[in-house]
Amino acid sequence: MRSGEYIDRLKTSINNYRPDLIAEIEQTLPKLKKDNLYLILLHIAGLSTPSICFLLGISKETFYTRRRRLRAGIAKSDGPCSAELQKLLSGHEKTSEQK
């Protein structure tokens, strides 16, 4: 699922939803790895945590750890979309059933 074509289509869809968001993400987090960008894109697209984990081949704990670290990095940055990214990444919280 992580083929270049699929990621490009996902980027196009997100840019149709919110123009220049991906460029602003890359400005806000210039050292962002492709897997973390992919995690952010899937999250923005509204996929569930289990779906994102399946597509990335990671555990839920890894997902939550990566998301927490991404949010911390965003909080430290002063990029053009820091506040918006914090809000976008605040969803998909763990519930008591998921722990």
Side-chain angles (χ1 to χ4, degrees):
M1 273 314 238
R2 285 192 261 175
S3 73
E5 181 182 336
Y6 178 78
I7 293 172
D8 289 342
R9 287 179 27 208
L10 183 59
K11 285 181 177 181
T12 300
S13 295
I14 289 171
N15 276 328
N16 288 336
Y17 161 73
R18 167 57 171 76
D20 301 321
L21 180 61
I22 295 169
E24 291 175 9
I25 291 170
E26 291 170 340
Q27 257 186 332
T28 301
L29 300 167
K31 295 180 182 178
L32 186 66
K33 294 178 183 177
K34 285 185 181 184
D35 276 353
N36 286 332
L37 176 60
Y38 192 41
L39 183 145
I40 291 170
L41 296 178
L42 294 171
H43 204 288
I44 291 170
L47 272 69
S48 68
T49 299
S51 296
I52 294 171
C53 292
F54 174 76
L55 291 171
L56 294 177
I58 60 175
S59 69
K60 285 183 185 177
E61 289 303 314
T62 300
F63 168 83
Y64 292 118
T65 299
R66 285 173 59 184
R67 190 186 66 180
R68 183 175 23 88
R69 289 178 182 161
L70 285 167
R71 288 187 349 210
I74 293 164
K76 291 178 186 175
S77 75
D78 60 350
C81 65
S82 296
E84 183 177 6
L85 265 179
Q86 285 284 34
K87 185 177 177 182
L88 289 170
L89 288 176
S90 67
H92 299 298
E93 295 297 329
K94 276 189 199 180
T95 63
S96 59
E97 303 94 51
Q98 292 174 322
K99 292 182 181 175

